[in-house]
Amino acid sequence: MALVPLKRRRRAPSPPAGPPGPGRFPAVVLCLVEKRMGASRRAFLTQLARAKGFRVDRTYSAAVTHVVSEQNSGAEVAQWLEQQREECGDGGDPALLDISWFTESMGAGRPVEIESRHRLRVAALAPHGRQMAPYACQRRTPLLHSNQPLTEALETLAEEAGFSGSEGRSLAFTRAASVLKALPGRLGALEELGPLPGIGEHSRRVIQDVLEDGVCAEVERVKLSERYRTMKLFTKIFGVGVRTASRWYQEGLRTFLDLQERSTKLTRQQQAGLQHYDDLNTPVERSEAESTSRAVQEAVKRFLPGASVTLAGGFRRGKPRGHDVDLLLTHPEEGREVGLLSRVVSWLDSQGLILYQHSQENSYGLREGPEPLGGRDVMDRFERCFSIFRLEAQGGPGAARGWKAVRVDLVVAPVSQFPFALLGWTGSRHFERELRRFASRERKMVLNSHALYDTRTSFYPLRPKKKSSSTWAWSMCPPHRETPEPWSTCPLQRPLAAQESPLQPWKRPLLPPVLAASSVFPGDPARLVPVD
């Protein structure tokens, strides 16, 4: 019995690369999406359109003005368009149209006017069609972002939750605000968020209200509540935390006058905070922070030449102003920094530059291991001095008397712990929390402002050793070894010029020790990975 050969399927003819000329309608360039349309139907529609004088390009380019699809959602076509842009390297902003526009145009023999029913509804992928990293320490966050009304509303609710003792709710709102700050543009509709990490249902309702009405009724109620306003007033006092402010509120105190009339017992720090309340709640300008740094540097050089003073906090992240000044002191030789702080503070006090100071000794032992997760891992135990400096006034409340009170924190870190201290004191607080959560969950490590511990090696700390002006070598030194074993290297980056510019400042000038960013290109979220 003879075998009958199978009949081969006839392949659909591929449409030619393009018409010889621009066609009858040079302002209109079509591109048909083959997905769900099929190659045969696409070829037929291409020939039909070209026969009527339309230009139809086989592949996408920046010249395309109309993208036509059939049985595809707007999100699918937007994703297809994003892929085409990446492949061809061209931009363009074509209209995304349903097949109905194409059918009507073919019937009319010319491009019909685009109506809303012809356009595909597109919910933009956030941000711009790319996936957002789940941890705040992996995201690039500009100091100046486009969603200020939304983040302010969420941060108000986060603050109120913190005043109420609900740390979980406060953290949830803070994480949602952090995601919005990382978006590359202004959010126009809730649908644009998509399934972004860190934004729960409550936060979405708040965002929806602000987008639709300009304000959120819940946020406005919080701002007008007596408890919120009182807690905000009291916690702005230097030395007053949430617990103390809450206790005062429960005792019926509402104003500073109430504190005075009831002879409320105040610590020396709180007394100084009340005395200089207006000054301490006036933003500190960068010029004032730099002036303070120079004054401390002069004092440090008197007692320990070679020691360094580093401006940390928000100013190191590129902010033009902040609420206080954080300065880190260290010396290239381990142990030389011991006793430096007391001499520096005494000399500054003798020069009339200190209005208040309270010092704490170093209580950290490197060998005792990290504190438990969930404990006071955000706070460190370096030798430090919480102080109020008297600076020459450059305007504001102190201009009339010629000086201004400014909060200054002086922190002394041994050189072996300095990279961790610099990272911890650069902030922000949410970034530090997220970085430590990332280290714990993704790398099985424990990070604090003193050291990085690998939990797989019996909590031996990873120690830095200076290799050059910008590079540290990290090594693990178990107690039974006198010389450390080489472990890895990591660049200790200095703030870039762009990070200090108000036009394009990025919050993260310093990469975490042993963890480094694999990519810092826009649109490709930086992922923290161990350095090889």
Side-chain angles (χ1 to χ4, degrees):
M1 181 176 176
L3 295 176
V4 179
L6 295 175
K7 186 177 181 180
R8 293 185 178 180
R9 296 182 62 181
R10 181 178 297 176
R11 291 185 178 180
S14 299
R24 294 171 49 199
F25 315 104
V28 177
V29 180
L30 306 183
C31 183
L32 306 182
V33 180
E34 185 174 316
K35 182 179 180 182
R36 293 203 175 96
M37 180 182 290
S40 298
R41 180 165 170 77
R42 180 173 183 256
F44 169 75
L45 295 179
T46 298
Q47 293 176 359
L48 174 64
R50 288 176 178 171
K52 292 183 176 292
F54 287 82
R55 173 182 168 180
V56 184
D57 285 3
R58 182 179 179 183
T59 58
Y60 177 80
S61 69
V64 173
T65 59
H66 295 60
V67 172
V68 179
S69 70
E70 188 173 28
Q71 298 180 1
N72 290 299
S73 67
E76 290 173 324
V77 177
Q79 186 174 8
W80 172 88
L81 179 61
E82 189 71 21
Q83 293 172 351
Q84 299 302 311
R85 285 170 172 166
E86 291 179 355
E87 291 176 2
C88 68
D90 287 337
D93 188 22
L96 306 185
L97 305 174
D98 182 68
I99 192 67
S100 60
W101 176 88
F102 182 90
T103 304
E104 294 176 17
S105 297
M106 295 304 105
R110 58 176 177 79
V112 299
E113 185 178 353
I114 299 176
E115 300 179 7
S116 58
R117 58 188 177 86
H118 295 139
R119 294 185 181 274
L120 296 175
R121 298 187 61 183
V122 179
L125 300 177
H128 286 300
R130 296 178 174 87
Q131 184 179 4
M132 181 172 287
Y135 296 91
C137 58
Q138 296 174 294
R139 300 192 290 262
R140 300 185 66 177
T141 305
L143 291 176
L144 304 176
H145 61 90
S146 305
N147 296 288
Q148 195 76 22
L150 301 177
T151 58
E152 287 180 354
L154 292 171
E155 288 170 347
T156 297
L157 295 181
E159 188 177 36
E160 188 275 334
F163 290 160
S164 302
S166 180
E167 188 65 26
R169 286 180 59 246
S170 177
L171 185 56
F173 289 125
T174 301
R175 284 177 177 162
S178 174
V179 171
L180 295 181
K181 291 177 181 179
L183 293 179
R186 190 177 72 86
L187 186 68
L190 186 63
E191 292 76 15
E192 296 178 12
L193 287 176
L196 284 181
I199 302 183
E201 291 300 321
H202 195 163
S203 296
R204 289 178 181 270
R205 289 197 302 270
V206 174
I207 294 171
Q208 182 72 25
D209 289 346
V210 176
L211 289 176
E212 292 180 352
D213 305 326
V215 294
C216 175
E218 180 183 3
V219 175
E220 295 305 306
R221 286 196 300 270
V222 167
K223 290 181 178 179
L224 295 175
S225 68
E226 184 183 50
R227 176 179 172 80
Y228 175 81
R229 297 172 69 175
T230 302
M231 291 290 292
K232 196 169 181 67
L233 176 71
F234 287 159
T235 53
K236 285 184 177 182
I237 301 174
F238 178 46
V240 176
V242 172
R243 290 185 179 180
T244 300
S246 181
R247 186 180 75 249
W248 288 352
Y249 180 82
Q250 293 173 2
E251 293 174 356
L253 304 178
R254 297 293 183 268
T255 64
F256 295 157
L257 184 59
D258 293 341
L259 294 175
Q260 182 178 359
E261 290 179 347
R262 300 195 186 185
S263 301
T264 304
K265 186 176 180 179
L266 302 176
T267 64
R268 194 168 63 89
Q269 187 179 44
Q270 293 165 358
Q271 292 174 5
L274 270 176
Q275 181 181 355
H276 306 289
Y277 183 86
D278 291 336
D279 280 0
L280 300 185
N281 285 280
T282 301
V284 181
E285 300 297 327
R286 174 174 287 276
S287 59
E288 296 173 332
E290 293 173 347
S291 175
T292 304
S293 179
R294 288 192 296 269
V296 174
Q297 181 71 64
E298 180 184 350
V300 167
K301 286 183 177 180
R302 284 177 169 269
F303 302 102
L304 187 60
S308 63
V309 177
T310 304
L311 181 62
F315 292 109
R316 189 166 189 271
R317 303 199 304 271
K319 286 191 171 184
R321 59 188 59 86
H323 66 279
D324 65 354
V325 180
D326 298 323
L327 298 174
L328 266 63
L329 285 61
T330 192
H331 191 276
E333 296 182 28
E334 186 87 8
R336 292 287 303 276
E337 76 286 347
V338 176
L340 172 64
L341 184 62
S342 59
R343 287 177 287 174
V344 168
V345 171
S346 296
W347 186 83
L348 292 171
D349 194 11
S350 67
Q351 301 300 307
L353 295 177
I354 294 184
L355 301 172
Y356 163 85
Q357 64 89 10
H358 172 69
S359 299
Q360 297 178 353
E361 296 181 354
N362 190 332
S363 61
Y364 184 82
L366 194 63
R367 292 296 182 193
E368 66 188 45
E371 296 186 0
L373 290 179
R376 295 187 47 161
D377 55 344
V378 176
M379 203 67 176
D380 57 62
R381 292 181 284 170
F382 288 113
E383 182 183 12
R384 73 186 71 199
C385 176
F386 299 109
S387 62
I388 299 177
F389 272 41
R390 173 174 172 160
L391 290 185
E392 181 179 349
Q394 301 177 7
R401 63 175 181 268
W403 59 271
K404 172 186 177 182
V406 174
R407 276 189 54 190
V408 180
D409 294 340
L410 304 175
V411 182
V412 177
V415 67
S416 61
Q417 302 172 39
F418 178 75
F420 303 101
L422 185 59
L423 174 63
W425 279 84
T426 295
S428 66
R429 182 176 181 180
H430 181 65
F431 173 82
E432 299 297 333
R433 183 190 291 114
E434 288 285 279
L435 179 59
R436 294 169 193 200
R437 189 167 69 99
F438 172 87
S440 172
R441 293 189 177 184
E442 306 298 332
R443 296 293 176 260
K444 308 304 179 186
M445 295 180 176
V446 177
L447 173 68
N448 59 28
S449 293
H450 295 271
L452 176 67
Y453 295 85
D454 192 337
T455 60
R456 296 163 295 186
T457 57
S458 302
F459 285 106
Y460 296 144
L462 301 172
R463 291 181 168 183
K465 181 180 180 181
K466 196 71 173 284
K467 294 186 68 177
S468 67
S469 61
S470 61
T471 304
W472 293 74
W474 303 92
S475 58
M476 181 174 61
C477 186
H480 61 275
R481 291 183 61 90
E482 294 183 358
T483 57
E485 299 175 354
W487 200 82
S488 62
T489 61
C490 173
L492 183 63
Q493 297 183 346
R494 298 170 61 89
L496 303 177
Q499 291 165 336
E500 298 186 4
S501 168
L503 298 179
Q504 192 182 11
W506 298 100
K507 273 190 174 182
R508 307 291 159 233
L510 176 66
L511 299 181
V514 183
L515 305 176
S518 64
S519 174
V520 292
F521 296 104
D524 185 8
R527 295 182 296 109
L528 299 179
V529 296
V531 177
D532 295 330

